[in-house]
């Protein structure tokens, strides 16, 4: 007979995974849906599939790190304490949402587990230190890589990936044979096809990277308790993510409700590629990566790189209007066409990116992305310190 408390724990874990699916489908496939490359239903199906692949392959490394290695004695993960940890993860993320700041699920989950470990005197400080170091280093890497791309390569990338929509559908079914065969519609141009494949592929990459890191946030406490095996936990978490993608994620797909998908399409692709690559790399090391923090710093880096093309760094920081720097020599691409000089982009678009460096806005984002995990850590510590749940 299944213990009722275990059922409660599984339901809470699946609820966390359900919200992960709802929150991450928009950033992953928002650009593709917004460009009419795929439908919301196809986006949800791809999200569920690639999230599960990422969770089943690389994600188990992060589950092991959080569920067994972060604490010296996995015995602290009783059913009661596991449910409480998941509760603090949800409460802390709710605070971030109320302030309109995208909080890190991974940092919040680690914070709650660290609070449990501190209260029980079983936190592995070496493992916690390794995770913390990568949390500092990875956003810096994302910032500088995106800055270089924004300053030196963005204009050319924008020409390459821009989707020029044709009047007809992308594909059509050829019913002349025994079986219908999908073929390109006669009005579809090559640029449109390449751009569509690129945007959808980036969405699949983001879904995969989300699975590698975020599955642990939902199931690691239960796996660490020994009450739920790794494979069933990943399957249940994957199912819950898929349900979230097919239901509550439809609204986020409609509104493009994330910092990444509100960017121009080319910028969204750059940010998603850089962030996903870093998250997958860290997940392979077993490090619970923060996609939100890395993506935020990547957005700032990309905007900084684009904004400092026509203006000086102090002018970009202050977002004040100034006379653009003139560049006499124009670059020439492979086809002999003149490229804009470094910094020559749409002045209104560049002005918008410069506003990313508003000190007040940046300070609020950075502050809340540290406060939310701190809430989970302190709340879990005080609870497990004074309430005997393990």
């Amino acid at each position: 007979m299944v213990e009722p408390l275990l059922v409660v724990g599984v339901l809470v874990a699946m609820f966390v995974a359900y919200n992960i699916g709802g929150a991450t489908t928009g950033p992953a496939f928002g650009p593709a849906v917004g460009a009419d490359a795929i439908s919301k239903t196809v986006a949800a199906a791809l999200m569920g599939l690639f999230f599960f692949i990422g969770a089943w392959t690389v994600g188990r490394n992060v589950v092991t790190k959080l569920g067994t290695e972060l604490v010296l004695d996995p015995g602290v993960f009783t059913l009661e304490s596991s449910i409480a940890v998941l509760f603090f993860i949800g409460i802390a993320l709710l605070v971030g949402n109320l302030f309109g700041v995208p909080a890190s699920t991974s940092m919040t989950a680690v914070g709650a587990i660290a609070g449990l470990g501190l209260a029980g005197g079983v936190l592995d400080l070496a493992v916690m230190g390794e995770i913390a170091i990568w949390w500092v280093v990875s956003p810096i890497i994302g910032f500088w890589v995106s800055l270089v791309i924004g300053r030196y390569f963005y204009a050319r990338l924008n020409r390459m990936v821009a989707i020029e929509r044709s009047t007809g559908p992308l594909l059509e079914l050829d019913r002349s044979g025994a079986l219908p065969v999908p073929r390109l519609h006669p009005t579809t141009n090559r640029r449109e096809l390449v751009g569509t494949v690129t945007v959808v592929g980036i969405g699949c990459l983001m879904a995969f990277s989300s699975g590698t890191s975020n599955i642990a946030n939902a199931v690691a406490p239960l796996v660490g308790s020994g009450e739920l095996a790794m494979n069933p936990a990943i399957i249940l978490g994957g199912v819950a993510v898929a349900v979230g993608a097919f239901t509550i994620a439809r609204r986020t797909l409609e509104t493009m409700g994330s910092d990444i998908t509100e960017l121009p399409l080319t910028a969204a692709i750059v940010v998603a590629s850089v962030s996903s690559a870093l998250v997958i790399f860290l997940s392979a090391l077993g490090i619970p990566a923060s996609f939100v923090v890395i993506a935020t710093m990547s957005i700032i880096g990309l905007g900084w790189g684009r904004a400092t093309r026509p203006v000086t760094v102090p002018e970009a920081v202050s977002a004040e209007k100034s006379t653009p720097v003139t560049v006499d020599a124009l670059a020439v691409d492979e086809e002999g066409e003149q490229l804009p000089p470094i910094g020559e982009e749409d002045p209104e678009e560049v002005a918008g990116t410069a506003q990313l460096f508003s000190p007040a806005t940046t300070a609020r984002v950075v502050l809340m992305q540290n406060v939310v995990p701190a809430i989970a850590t302190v709340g879990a510590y005080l609870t497990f310190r004074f309430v005997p749940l393990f």
Side-chain angles (χ1 to χ4, degrees), residues 330-352:
L330 293 177
V332 178
D333 65 12
E334 293 83 352
E335 299 177 356
E337 297 181 356
Q338 286 185 331
L339 295 175
I342 292 178
E344 187 170 305
E345 294 190 56
D346 186 340
E348 294 183 359
E349 187 176 357
V350 172

Side-chain angles (χ1 to χ4, degrees), residues 20-30 40 43-44 47-48 241 244-246 249 252-253:
I20 290 173
T24 57
T25 303
F29 291 99
K40 298 172 190 174
M47 180 68 197
V241 166
F246 275 102
T252 61
L253 284 170

Side-chain angles (χ1 to χ4, degrees), residues 279-293:
V279 169
I280 293 171
F281 169 73
L282 294 177
S283 298
L285 299 179
I287 303 298
S290 172
F291 184 91
V292 167
V293 174

Side-chain angles (χ1 to χ4, degrees), residues 315-341:
E315 290 167 339
V317 173
S318 63
E320 296 177 353
K321 293 184 178 181
S322 61
T323 303
V325 177
T326 59
V327 180
D328 295 329
L330 293 177
V332 178
D333 65 12
E334 293 83 352
E335 299 177 356
E337 297 181 356
Q338 286 185 331
L339 295 175

Side-chain angles (χ1 to χ4, degrees), residues 126-216:
V127 174
M128 188 66 227
E130 180 187 8
I131 293 173
I133 289 173
W134 277 112
W135 279 354
V136 174
V137 172
S138 56
I140 295 175
I141 295 174
F143 172 85
W144 282 105
V145 171
S146 299
L147 184 148
V148 171
I149 293 174
R151 181 171 176 82
Y152 297 106
F153 304 105
Y154 185 85
R156 181 170 297 179
L157 286 173
N158 193 39
R159 293 184 175 188
M160 292 173 58
V161 304
I163 298 179
E164 299 176 358
R165 292 296 297 169
S166 58
T167 56
L170 183 67
L171 299 173
E172 63 178 3
L173 290 178
D174 183 357
R175 303 180 183 277
S176 59
L179 296 174
V181 178
R183 300 187 187 281
L184 289 179
H185 192 271
T187 61
T188 302
N189 57 71
R190 179 169 297 182
R191 175 181 289 271
E192 180 183 6
L193 176 62
V194 173
T196 300
V197 172
T198 300
V199 173
V200 175
I202 291 298
C204 294
L205 177 64
M206 290 182 66
F208 178 87
S209 70
S210 178
T212 64
S213 181
N214 283 327
I215 188 64

